[in-house]
Amino acid sequence: MSTFIKVLIVSVSVIVLLLIAGLVYVSTALPNVGPAPENLKVEASPEKIERGEYLANHVMLCIDCHSKRDFSLFSAPPVPGTEAIGGERFDHSMGFPGVFVSPNITPAGIGDYTDGELFRLITTGVKKDGNPIFPVMPYASYGKMDPEDIEAVIAYIRSLESNPSENPVSEADFPVNLIMRTMPVKAELTKRPPAEDAVAYGKYLTTASACADCHTQFENGAYTGEPLAGGRSFSFPDGSILNSANLTPHETGLKNWSRAQFIERFKMYELPENISKLNPGEMQTIMPWAMYAGMSREDLGAIYDYLQSLEPVDNTVTKFIASENS
């Protein structure tokens, strides 16, 4: 056997062993965010539950994803009676690398979790069994919130009526099932700024609402655009495409929007008549306007103040492209 063949065999063997070692490491040692807090016991005071209800329904939108959404209506509000029982499906028809189904977050679904395990799940994306969830839930954003707000959400979902449901298990495609294990990181929790500091408070709310997740261009599994400058594409099962809006204070974004206009754009969807039935080909959005509409005017105003403080980014966006079959 020639020296070249021997070297080639050894080189290939080393590469294969390194790949196997890497796969074993990723599969067994990751994610590594540390243990769930063992002694955390969330106080279920009325004030805490009320705060959690507000956050879960109108800011962090836990209830939006953990319910079944009615895409026959504009902005796809939750189907009445399905709130928090899970079952919403995110799959290949929407551009996801697998089939991901939101779980039940009523006590019927989370009853075997401790408060510490829920806290770790929400802020790092790591489940009770140590496995990661797909970041359709923006746990990286929640991991930058105030611990008291996370605890408030836990108190609220614990207070919900226990409502059993049978939901399919999520399944990621290969190699995303391995890549997912590298995503969770330890939470970088912060203190919620005072409302009087409108820009800092608005930034906090923008993070809690995970606005940048949708309003930042995303291609081939990575964010490629300027944060909050829009342009991320979302596919609908019928072939139509939604592109997120530019939220920076540029001519192509929010420069010409007044604070009052911005607030009223959200609050108009408190009216049921503005959540209309859609005909084929009409603009649809994944933006849950009806749920964000429940945010207070003060909080919406703070978000506006923060967005106006950003560096303007020139990014013209065609918001909706109807399917050719419409």
Side-chain angles (χ1 to χ4, degrees), residues 33-298:
V33 298
E38 292 185 3
N39 299 319
L40 178 62
K41 184 62 179 176
V42 174
E43 176 193 5
S45 67
E47 295 78 15
K48 215 171 190 74
I49 292 172
E50 181 181 14
R51 173 67 178 170
E53 179 179 13
Y54 176 72
L55 291 168
N57 283 276
H58 306 302
V59 181
M60 298 165 66
L61 298 184
C62 313
I63 303 304
D64 176 65
C65 283
H66 289 276
S67 307
K68 293 181 180 179
R69 299 179 68 180
D70 185 355
F71 278 90
S72 72
L73 299 176
F74 179 73
S75 79
V79 175
T82 71
E83 293 88 352
I85 68 171
E88 184 64 9
R89 181 183 173 102
F90 305 84
D91 59 22
H92 301 93
S93 69
M94 303 174 72
F96 286 91
V99 177
F100 306 99
V101 182
S102 62
N104 187 323
I105 58 170
T106 74
I110 61 170
D112 62 343
Y113 271 74
T114 66
D115 288 343
E117 288 166 344
L118 281 175
F119 190 96
R120 183 179 68 168
L121 173 62
I122 295 169
T123 58
T124 70
V126 176
K127 297 187 292 185
K128 177 185 179 73
D129 62 9
N131 287 312
I133 62 172
F134 187 75
V136 65
M137 185 180 94
Y139 57 77
S141 295
Y142 299 159
K144 296 180 174 66
M145 292 180 63
D146 191 317
E148 291 190 4
D149 277 344
I150 303 299
E151 291 181 21
V153 170
I154 293 171
Y156 168 63
I157 60 177
R158 292 268 196 223
S159 76
L160 296 174
E161 180 181 353
S162 186
N163 195 351
S165 61
E166 294 291 334
N167 299 319
V169 176
S170 297
E171 187 172 352
D173 295 339
F174 179 82
V176 174
N177 60 331
L178 295 176
I179 295 172
M180 281 170 52
R181 305 190 72 84
T182 70
M183 293 179 176
V185 296
K186 292 182 179 180
E188 298 177 353
L189 299 164
T190 62
K191 186 70 177 174
R192 184 172 73 242
E196 294 75 22
D197 188 349
V199 172
Y201 182 54
K203 180 179 180 180
Y204 178 84
L205 291 170
T206 301
T207 300
S209 301
C211 302
D213 280 30
C214 288
H215 289 273
T216 304
Q217 191 169 336
F218 187 89
E219 295 176 357
N220 300 319
Y223 289 101
T224 58
E226 292 293 327
L228 295 164
R232 181 170 183 175
S233 295
F234 298 90
S235 301
F236 288 100
D238 67 354
S240 56
I241 297 174
L242 172 74
N243 296 304
S244 60
N246 182 351
L247 301 184
T248 72
H250 188 270
E251 293 281 355
T252 59
L254 296 179
K255 179 179 180 179
N256 297 319
W257 285 61
S258 69
R259 198 173 194 267
Q261 285 176 316
F262 182 83
I263 293 171
E264 292 308 318
R265 182 70 170 87
F266 285 85
K267 300 304 283 187
M268 68 181 286
Y269 293 109
E270 286 186 306
L271 302 174
E273 58 265 32
N274 289 330
I275 306 296
S276 58
K277 190 81 173 177
L278 295 179
N279 297 311
E282 289 186 312
M283 179 180 174
Q284 179 56 297
T285 180
I286 62 168
M287 174 81 168
W289 287 106
M291 302 200 77
Y292 279 136
M295 205 181 303
S296 72
R297 293 178 181 275
E298 292 76 16

